[in-house]
Amino acid sequence: MDTSQPSHAPSDPDTPMDPVPLSGGTQTAPAPTADYDAVLDTAAGVARRWLDGVFSRPIPATHDIDQVKAAIGRELPPHGLEAESVIEQLAAAVEPGLMASQSGRFFGWVMGGTYPVALAADWLVSAWDQNAGMRDATPGVIAAEELAGEWLLQLLGLPGSSDVGFVTGATAANFVGLAAGRQHVLEQAGWDVNRDGLSGAPRIRLIAGAERHGAVDLAARYLGLGEATLVPADAHGRISIAGLARALGEGSGPTIVCLQAGNIHSGAFDDFAAASALCRAACAWQHVDGAFGLWAGAAPGLRHLTAGYELADSWATDAHKTLNVPYDCGVAIVARPTALHTAFGVHASYLLAPAAGADPFEKVPEMSRRARGVPLLATLRWLGRDGVEELVTGLAQNASRLAEELAALPGVSILNDVVFTQVCMAMPDDEATTALGERLLAEGRVLASPSHWHDRAVLRFSVSNWATDADEVRTTVDAVRAALPPR
Ligand SMILES: *Cc1c(COP(=O)(O)O)cnc(C)c1O
């Protein structure tokens, strides 16, 4: 059957449909389900083949961008192609250019894999094709997202009165938290930023740790906050509390302090309780970037790391990292919903009036968006509270095990205290570390990120994948051992 053109005629007359009668008694036209069937079956088959191989294949991509473009075909086709062939050809061309980030030996950046249930729910989100911006229009997905938000607050022990917005990732979630902060601190200073903009506004002091993530700088840039005043970091990469007190004491006026739950190199957490006391005394808005680390708050054995973070005003996290939900799912949490809604709310006649509560589009920069909170709900539902605890605890345990076993290899040192999921290893000199990283990548069993930390070249292992277990840790250590310089 030719499925290249959408058709509203029943594609298979032998399969009668049961159309839902409209209230006027009119029958709707039979749905073109057969147009979807063949191409979805093709896609499901392609996805299964990918997933069958992804846990055992070499991790890095084998084709570069040019090769993939050539394989796709560089010219816009003059005529359309059949849908199933489009999907099959797409996969054949693109897959050699993919990295096996779902593998249990993938430790690159801070990424994580994808739980089966999360992937399945993500497929449903696309099939449902709901615009998740308005409560009254798409109550099904809004209900799921609102529950996901409530459950998340309970899991993390954050104030239940906080509002939750779903965004693409922690970059956008940091933007949302800082935007609410900007709104709030300027309002406290008697300035209406929505009406009067930033020109002539009291200057906002943004204070952050020297080892903040670059996403915080980006968010500040989008918000016209300029560069943050940087407070030195301690040996673990945490914001110095004495330094924060000094920075806060050096000025006055509207102030936002950005703290971190989970340093990408060390995994370290700022001292939230101490920082929070200082922020309160200075009437500063306190934001926490917890892209992957906020999840430590869901595990009783790790909760000491996040102690006091519940006193902050806003938090940013990702579900696509530690929780192993597919890209993309970021979460912005704001303890002062009015500041959030003032920053993002829009009231236009063509938008439905909310019956109760703010509409999702009043919490994030997007008006229209996919229901990316649904895979989060499905994953929390599938794991349950104890499953989330087990996941997060297990990632940290595997990181400790990996660090211990790597440290026993000749020439290898672990530079960080492994308190959470991040392991930073180095060889005696930078050249040896870089060369080790290159050999490891070429061999393909393991992917770790080359980086620099505290003036040294390092290889960074981020244990963020549910598929990493004791066996994968062992294989990883074997691969590193095999890649060590010959002695
Ligand atoms: C990954 C990360 C970010 C950025 O998150 P995205 O999901 O890539 O937008 C911000 N902060 C920290 C600490 C991160 O690890």
Side-chain angles (χ1 to χ4, degrees):
M1 195 199 70
D2 174 15
T3 56
S4 61
Q5 300 299 321
S7 150
H8 292 274
S11 314
D12 181 358
D14 295 335
T15 322
M17 317 271 179
D18 277 331
V20 181
L22 295 177
S23 50
T26 335
Q27 297 281 301
T28 55
T33 48
D35 289 345
Y36 291 101
D37 282 347
V39 71
L40 286 185
D41 287 349
T42 303
V46 165
R48 287 221 178 85
R49 277 205 304 282
W50 163 257
L51 292 167
D52 279 346
V54 80
F55 296 96
S56 51
R57 56 158 263 186
I59 312 271
T62 50
H63 282 188
D64 64 19
I65 290 173
D66 263 353
Q67 288 171 302
V68 175
K69 281 183 180 169
I72 291 172
R74 289 176 188 274
E75 305 304 324
L76 169 68
H79 309 295
L81 299 172
E82 189 204 35
E84 294 97 280
S85 329
V86 169
I87 296 302
E88 260 157 19
Q89 289 174 14
L90 180 69
V94 167
E95 284 185 0
L98 304 183
M99 60 183 180
S101 45
Q102 285 112 317
S103 159
R105 281 167 280 102
F106 177 88
F107 304 101
W109 302 274
V110 184
M111 288 194 173
T114 291
Y115 274 129
V117 72
L119 171 59
D122 201 60
W123 284 2
L124 286 186
V125 171
S126 292
W128 290 338
D129 190 29
Q130 302 286 288
N131 183 333
M134 292 174 290
R135 294 183 99 244
D136 289 348
T138 58
V141 291
I142 307 299
E145 287 198 334
E146 288 188 356
L147 282 178
E150 286 171 31
W151 294 356
L152 191 58
L153 296 178
Q154 290 165 20
L155 262 175
L156 298 177
L158 297 178
S161 55
S162 306
D163 213 342
V164 177
F166 291 98
V167 287
T168 49
T171 306
N174 280 315
F175 169 77
V176 169
L178 295 178
R182 183 183 77 169
Q183 160 62 37
H184 182 78
V185 298
L186 285 179
E187 189 181 304
Q188 298 289 297
W191 187 267
D192 181 344
V193 68
N194 284 351
R195 191 188 59 203
D196 299 323
L198 279 181
S199 305
R203 182 168 175 86
I204 296 174
R205 294 189 304 156
L206 175 67
I207 300 175
E211 295 197 21
R212 80 229 166 270
H213 192 278
V216 168
D217 298 333
L218 275 180
R221 199 187 298 167
Y222 304 155
L223 288 162
L225 298 179
E227 288 182 4
T229 299
L230 297 185
V231 173
D234 68 12
H236 307 282
R238 300 176 299 202
I239 196 168
S240 148
I241 294 300
L244 176 60
R246 217 170 303 125
L248 283 168
E250 271 165 9
S252 59
T255 306
I256 299 174
V257 174
C258 189
L259 301 170
Q260 182 165 257
N263 175 301
I264 56 165
H265 287 103
S266 65
F269 292 68
D270 288 345
D271 181 345
F272 301 109
S276 183
L278 294 173
C279 291
R280 295 219 157 185
C283 295
W285 180 278
Q286 190 187 337
H287 173 78
V288 178
D289 175 11
F292 66 94
L294 217 64
W295 296 90
L302 295 166
R303 208 168 273 152
H304 60 279
L305 297 169
T306 59
Y309 80 156
E310 68 281 358
L311 302 169
D313 299 292
S314 55
W315 304 262
T317 195
D318 273 322
H320 60 221
K321 291 180 176 174
T322 310
L323 196 68
N324 282 261
V325 162
Y327 284 102
D328 48 35
C329 185
V331 191
I333 305 169
V334 179
R336 299 173 189 268
T338 310
L340 179 64
H341 307 157
T342 308
F344 291 100
V346 170
H347 300 282
S349 58
Y350 59 87
L351 298 169
L352 302 179
D359 275 313
F361 70 76
E362 296 180 285
K363 309 174 190 186
V364 296
E366 292 85 11
M367 282 205 164
S368 303
R369 63 171 177 85
R370 71 190 273 101
R372 55 171 62 87
V374 170
L376 171 60
L377 176 96
T379 307
L380 295 178
R381 186 87 176 70
W382 177 69
L383 284 171
R385 185 184 280 275
D386 56 4
V388 176
E389 284 176 26
E390 229 171 90
L391 164 69
V392 178
T393 309
L395 295 175
Q397 281 170 350
N398 281 318
S400 294
R401 183 176 297 148
L402 177 65
E404 251 167 59
E405 296 189 18
L406 287 176
L409 298 177
V412 171
S413 14
I414 302 300
L415 301 189
N416 63 314
D417 273 359
V418 181
V419 293
F420 194 50
T421 54
Q422 307 299 105
V423 178
C424 241
M425 69 157 277
M427 297 301 286
D429 60 75
D430 285 1
E431 294 69 38
T433 306
T434 306
L436 175 69
E438 284 164 4
R439 282 195 296 274
L440 207 52
L441 190 66
E443 200 259 354
R445 266 186 295 173
V446 169
L447 195 147
S449 298
S451 185
H452 268 85
W453 191 53
H454 293 181
D455 298 324
R456 286 185 75 173
V458 296
L459 275 181
R460 197 156 60 81
F461 292 78
S462 174
V463 183
S464 303
N465 201 308
W466 70 276
T468 302
D469 58 11
D471 278 350
E472 296 287 43
V473 168
R474 209 165 305 124
T475 310
T476 299
V477 175
D478 288 345
V480 174
R481 186 184 294 111
L484 288 174
R487 288 155 48 87

